[in-house]
Amino acid sequence: CIEDARLIREEVDRCRRILDALVPAHDQADPATALLWGELIEALRLRLYAGGADRLQVSGLPADAAFILPRQRTAQSLAALVNNALEASTGMVRLTGEACSDTLMIRIVDDGPGMDARAQIRVGEPFFTTKPHGRGLGLFLVRQFVEQVGGALQVRSVAGAGTAVTLTLPTQPVEEPRHAA
């Protein structure tokens, strides 16, 4: 009975996250605003499954690196990708960030079972999943968000050797505060 209650709670949480991700791209509740890398990582950690934050290794950008991004949808999308990696992997999941002049590239790498070539072709399709209990909507919704904001999502996987997901999001420069002379 306790196990059933836990499963129901996990499914309710998953449905809530999916519904949250269905917010339209131009929703005024989540406008593109200045977001620090450290804030994004903190928002991500709050959305990870129990124990997930302990298995996440973050590197690549200083905590004060700033980007103009939709705060909630970026954190939700990143959490969906990292939770997928945590579910697939028994070890650490590595997340790295790299900033270019007008993009933020985030890579998530796991040591899970990976996917064969047939699965990689279909990954991101609605209702396609490689998980025994998955629904096949998480990666589909992430791809929708990324494409709506003009970004890209790339999945590279080798059966038996893990998966690397690269999320590239367009950013705008953050204006430096001006000090009075």
Side-chain angles (χ1 to χ4, degrees):
C1 189
I2 292 173
E3 180 66 19
D4 290 340
R6 184 185 64 77
L7 288 172
I8 290 170
R9 182 179 174 167
E10 287 177 1
E11 286 303 310
V12 168
D13 288 344
R14 179 178 164 76
C15 288
R16 182 179 34 96
R17 286 191 302 273
I18 289 170
L19 289 172
D20 288 344
L22 288 172
V23 174
H26 301 292
D27 187 345
Q28 296 303 314
D30 190 21
T33 58
L35 177 63
L36 297 176
W37 176 249
E39 292 172 336
L40 178 59
I41 298 305
E42 184 58 32
L44 161 66
R45 289 182 189 279
L46 294 173
R47 289 172 168 80
L48 295 181
Y49 297 144
D54 296 335
R55 294 181 37 226
L56 180 64
Q57 177 184 21
V58 178
S59 63
L61 287 171
D64 62 352
F67 308 95
I68 303 288
L69 294 166
R71 181 179 301 262
Q72 298 302 319
R73 287 175 291 141
T74 301
Q76 288 166 347
S77 296
L78 193 54
L81 297 174
V82 172
N83 279 321
N84 281 350
L86 289 165
E87 287 179 24
S89 178
T90 57
M92 295 296 287
V93 169
R94 294 179 315 279
L95 181 146
T96 57
E98 181 180 335
C100 297
S101 62
D102 59 353
T103 60
L104 171 62
M105 185 173 71
I106 302 170
R107 174 167 283 154
I108 300 132
V109 179
D110 69 54
D111 66 355
M115 293 178 276
D116 62 25
R118 287 180 58 186
Q120 280 191 74
I121 291 170
R122 297 198 58 205
V123 73
E125 289 180 11
F127 306 110
F128 173 78
T129 183
T130 59
K131 299 180 197 176
H133 303 292
R135 301 291 182 263
L137 291 175
L139 196 56
F140 168 73
L141 292 171
V142 170
R143 185 178 301 267
Q144 291 297 107
F145 160 67
V146 169
E147 289 176 359
Q148 286 173 345
V149 298
L153 181 70
Q154 182 180 50
V155 179
R156 298 260 192 244
S157 189
V158 176
T163 301
V165 177
T166 304
L167 177 67
T168 305
L169 297 170
T171 63
Q172 300 169 18
V174 175
E175 293 293 322
E176 293 294 324
R178 295 182 186 202
H179 302 285

